[in-house]
Amino acid sequence: MFKREVLPIDKIVNMFLRQNGLETPLLQKRLVDAWDSMAGKTIARYTEDKFIRNQVLYVKISSPALRSDLSMIRTELVNKLNQHVGARIIIDIKFF
């Protein structure tokens, strides 16, 4: 009789996602969804649109003053968002 390797369900799901090319899009979606909670309620109120293209998170901010302030702390926000999803998904944030 032989022993089968028993894997936890989370590892099986992660392997399935990785094999089918779905891991990165899922992590990108989680990161975009985390923007409001990570940035805070005040900033979320001025956020109009957000998306990721070529490892850059693009965030449309309706207030020019806030856009300028956020540009100064964007590396901190990049690190915070990447830590939240547990992977290096973005390398920069562009505010427009």
Side-chain angles (χ1 to χ4, degrees), residues 18-70:
R18 190 171 295 126
Q19 289 171 351
N20 291 300
L22 300 172
E23 183 179 35
T24 301
L26 178 64
L27 291 174
Q28 288 176 344
K29 172 77 169 112
R30 286 181 183 165
L31 189 136
V32 169
D33 290 345
W35 170 260
D36 291 344
S37 64
M38 300 304 284
K41 290 180 184 180
T42 306
I43 296 171
R45 200 173 324 139
Y46 291 100
T47 302
E48 294 180 0
D49 191 23
K50 49 199 176 288
F51 60 91
I52 296 176
R53 182 173 293 137
N54 296 330
Q55 290 187 308
V56 177
L57 175 63
Y58 291 88
V59 182
K60 185 173 184 179
I61 303 291
S62 60
S63 168
L66 182 59
R67 192 178 320 134
S68 175
D69 290 346
L70 289 173

